[in-house]
Amino acid sequence: MRTRYDVTIVAFKRRGGSHWDIADRDVILYADDEILVAGNPKKVEAFSELDKDADA
């Protein structure tokens, strides 16, 4: 994510999970994971817009 979108996935929570896990470079994320993203606010905002069409 950092190379392509200039944001960092800091942590993730699995569907139905009750806690956040720290993300490392080897973690596999799934479509229903919640993610905590860090970076430049404009880059994070742009990243958050990527999946807007899928929610409709």
Side-chain angles (χ1 to χ4, degrees):
M1 298 295 161
R2 189 175 304 154
T3 302
R4 186 168 185 176
Y5 300 106
D6 203 22
V7 298
T8 302
I9 307 298
V10 177
F12 64 98
K13 183 166 51 169
R14 299 284 186 216
R15 179 176 169 204
S18 60
H19 67 279
W20 291 89
D21 291 309
I22 302 300
D24 63 24
R25 65 184 309 143
D26 297 321
V27 72
I28 297 172
L29 297 171
Y30 299 99
D32 55 357
D33 288 345
E34 287 185 61
I35 57 174
L36 178 63
V37 180
N40 175 289
K42 289 184 181 188
K43 299 284 185 169
V44 171
E45 182 66 28
F47 180 79
S48 74
E49 297 289 325
L50 291 174
D51 198 33
K52 289 286 184 175
D53 292 337
D55 293 338

